[in-house]
Amino acid sequence: MQALVNKYKSDTAFSFISVSVDTDASHWQKAEREDTITWEHYLVNRTGKELLPDFLKGNGLPYYILLDKNGHVLFSSNRVTAIKDRIQLYD
């Protein structure tokens, strides 16, 4: 994911956002520091965690969603390689 963020960070057509379902905020914060997450990322509570599969219309984590600059879903997958392939269509 970091490689994609680095490659497209100056491209205003895409935004990168991640959502964590960690049950312990300290684990999430530790991962944030250790993984050097440079994009927007959020932690959902238990209720949000239960709602995510219906909202995303998929399951399996991590789950990636490609949004345009207006927030419309262009593509989604639980495989980062699929997201990478789709982004390259917009190059």
Side-chain angles (χ1 to χ4, degrees):
M1 181 71 161
Q2 186 64 56
L4 285 176
V5 172
N6 290 342
K7 182 174 181 178
Y8 294 100
K9 65 183 170 188
S10 62
D11 190 332
T12 59
F14 305 106
S15 293
F16 293 89
I17 300 169
S18 60
V19 177
S20 175
V21 294
D22 232 324
T23 56
D24 185 334
S26 65
H27 290 172
W28 175 67
Q29 291 166 339
K30 180 180 178 188
E32 174 186 24
R33 286 188 307 275
E34 291 177 356
D35 296 342
T36 318
I37 296 173
T38 60
W39 57 90
E40 289 185 60
H41 53 283
Y42 303 94
L43 177 65
V44 297
N45 60 22
R46 288 178 197 255
T47 302
K49 181 179 178 180
E50 293 169 5
L51 296 174
L52 275 177
D54 289 337
F55 175 74
L56 298 175
K57 296 179 177 54
N59 55 28
L61 295 173
Y63 193 81
Y64 304 96
I65 303 170
L66 180 60
L67 303 172
D68 68 12
K69 63 183 177 182
N70 297 312
H72 298 113
V73 176
L74 298 173
F75 185 72
S76 62
S77 175
N78 64 347
R79 296 181 313 117
V80 73
T81 54
I83 294 294
K84 180 181 177 182
D85 292 344
R86 184 56 62 112
I87 287 175
Q88 290 174 347
L89 294 175
Y90 297 96
D91 276 346

